[in-house]
Amino acid sequence: MSPTADPRRAQAQLGDRSLFASLDARAYLNHAAISPVSDPVRARVAELLDDYARLGAGAFPAWHRQRCELKLLLAELLGAGAEQLALISNTTRGVTDIALCLPWRAGDRVAVFRGEFPGNVTPWQRAAELFDLELLMLEAEAYRHEPDGALRQLEQALRAGLRLVAVSSVQFQTGLRMPLEQIGALCRHYGAELFVDAIQSCGAVPVDVVAWQADYVTCGSHKFLMGLEGAAFLYVHPNRAAALRPHVAGWLSHEDAERFLCEGPGHLRYDRPFRKRADMFEGGTGTAVGFAALGASVELILQLGVERIYAHANRYLDLLEPPLIARGFRSLRCPDPQRRSCILSLDPPADINVVDLRRRLLERGVACAIPDGKLRFAPHWPNGLGEVAFVIDAVDQSLQVMRSQAATRTS
Ligand SMILES: Cc1ncc(COP(=O)(O)O)c(C=O)c1O
């Protein structure tokens, strides 16, 4: 078999979607929602299922090793250590784990951002209710228009006393990439902790947990990491792990948790100490399929390099943005290239219903999303630059049909 024909030895190339043989949409621009599954991911999952079908529990050791290797790959992606990571079920679970386990003091203040995905707000609201905390709502949009002013406002809040700042590295609606190095430096200076939801970055926008000075980072695998739903990770800074309370602990949160299963009698105990590392959050059995898929997709991403993927996706968006603006769309892409992600969001022209537009684009082979009414395009490494003309053509056809139908209705 040639290397490209065998998906287990696949070579990814920027702008080449040949590893997505089953993908329907001609322009798949919805990686900020759920990515399509590549052939190497399918092959890895099929391999796992074959093993479990043949061996049952006998398949466990090899796929347990795969999860340890996955942590090494994710660590490389984040600039972290593998032992600083927990494999968990979803991004929100990572937020919840920290929100429930921080050693809060009544009256502690937490800053969240208006405009954030609710996954990074609801758990902090619950913690506020349970632990008598105060939530402060800052404005994410301010970082697009006037980042210096927004940082000054954050500094004021920190000076007045914040225990933690919870923010997404990239805003899901607008694609704004937050200035995390500056936010992290301010948090460090004023003694606050920094929590980052990185699901709109990891896999396509460079991430460096050390440069961010982040204390906690969480991310699910079904968006730019190109894995499946139901698998995620949580990074915990080594200096923070010991202070966390085991409020969500399970049987695997203890040191030597599995000894009673394989070392003969006398090891079944309920008083083993809790792990003082990120993996205290791996309280029970996780998704073998999800982590196998994630391993295969991250291998491809590392093969290509996140910096190259980021540059490629932005070349795509550089081509897509001007013709849309010329057609009356208002771009929400940040004027500062440093603050851009792999998302282009736009407000459609005033006479265009965005729900209808999205449906018509999909019918024409363009998959995109409409979070809170913004038209959101999110390319990734397989999108070829040649697609852009096709997307614009689909937009033109859709606008034309919608306008002529509106004209018929009013005549
Ligand atoms: C910024 C952000 N955080 C969290 C989520 C939800 O992630 P999960 O379902 O893994 O909790 C989404 C997306 O859907 C998102 O855009």
Side-chain angles (χ1 to χ4, degrees), residues 40-342:
V41 168
R42 291 174 69 158
R44 188 68 56 83
V45 169
E47 203 182 317
L48 173 132
L49 293 176
D50 285 349
D51 281 357
Y52 274 92
R54 265 186 320 115
L55 304 170
F60 179 82
W63 291 97
H64 178 69
R65 269 197 307 282
Q66 182 267 329
R67 291 193 276 278
C68 297
E69 284 157 18
L70 171 59
K71 283 191 187 175
L72 291 168
L73 298 177
L74 293 170
E76 190 180 335
L77 206 64
L78 302 172
E83 69 294 346
Q84 294 156 8
L85 299 176
L87 297 180
I88 57 170
S89 57
N90 54 58
T91 320
T92 306
R93 179 66 208 237
V95 187
T96 305
D97 285 341
I98 299 305
L100 294 184
C101 295
L102 266 164
W104 299 110
R105 291 174 299 260
D108 277 346
R109 300 173 81 223
V110 175
V112 295
F113 288 82
R114 198 185 317 277
E116 284 271 319
F117 193 85
N120 198 18
V121 177
T122 309
W124 304 111
Q125 289 174 319
R126 291 305 304 135
E129 188 80 24
L130 291 166
F131 302 106
D132 201 13
L133 315 175
E134 199 186 316
L135 275 199
L136 182 68
M137 188 69 96
L138 300 173
E139 300 294 331
E141 264 299 88
Y143 285 80
R144 189 156 64 89
H145 300 304
E146 231 245 292
D148 292 343
L151 285 167
R152 273 196 302 277
Q153 199 188 28
L154 175 65
E155 185 164 12
Q156 263 171 24
L158 285 161
R159 203 177 288 127
L162 280 181
R163 176 75 189 274
L164 180 133
V165 174
V167 66
S168 289
S169 50
V170 166
Q171 294 298 313
F172 82 106
Q173 247 184 323
T174 60
L176 176 69
R177 187 177 174 188
M178 300 296 275
L180 278 178
E181 286 84 354
Q182 284 112 306
I183 292 176
L186 283 173
C187 286
R188 194 60 72 228
H189 183 75
Y190 289 96
E193 296 181 44
L194 176 62
F195 185 100
V196 182
D197 169 344
I199 197 170
Q200 295 294 1
S201 295
C202 283
V205 178
V207 167
D208 182 341
V209 298
V210 175
W212 289 353
Q213 303 192 53
D215 296 288
Y216 316 99
V217 178
T218 186
C219 175
S221 62
H222 57 283
K223 299 185 190 288
F224 289 98
L225 285 176
M226 303 186 106
L228 289 170
E229 295 149 273
F233 68 80
L234 171 65
Y235 160 85
V236 179
H237 190 286
N239 293 349
R240 297 295 186 193
L244 294 171
R245 305 247 162 91
H247 289 166
V248 298
W251 72 280
L252 282 170
S253 304
H254 298 277
E255 295 289 0
D256 299 320
E258 307 99 325
R259 280 186 70 181
F260 73 97
L261 291 173
C262 44
E263 292 189 21
H267 293 292
L268 181 60
R269 286 170 48 175
Y270 308 102
D271 61 351
R272 294 187 193 281
F274 290 114
R275 294 170 181 161
K276 299 281 186 202
R277 300 181 301 272
D279 59 0
M280 73 177 274
F281 294 107
E282 296 174 355
T285 310
T287 164
V289 164
F291 295 130
L294 185 56
S297 63
V298 172
E299 280 168 28
L300 295 176
I301 286 166
L302 288 172
Q303 203 186 89
L304 289 165
V306 174
E307 292 280 358
R308 290 181 64 227
I309 293 173
Y310 177 70
H312 171 74
N314 272 279
R315 268 196 299 277
Y316 190 111
L317 296 178
D318 288 344
L319 294 174
L320 184 61
E321 187 184 25
L324 290 172
I325 293 173
R327 284 157 177 78
F329 289 79
R330 188 177 72 93
S331 173
L332 302 170
R333 202 161 174 227
C334 191
D336 177 358
Q338 301 287 321
R339 303 268 71 84
R340 292 177 179 172
S341 62
C342 296

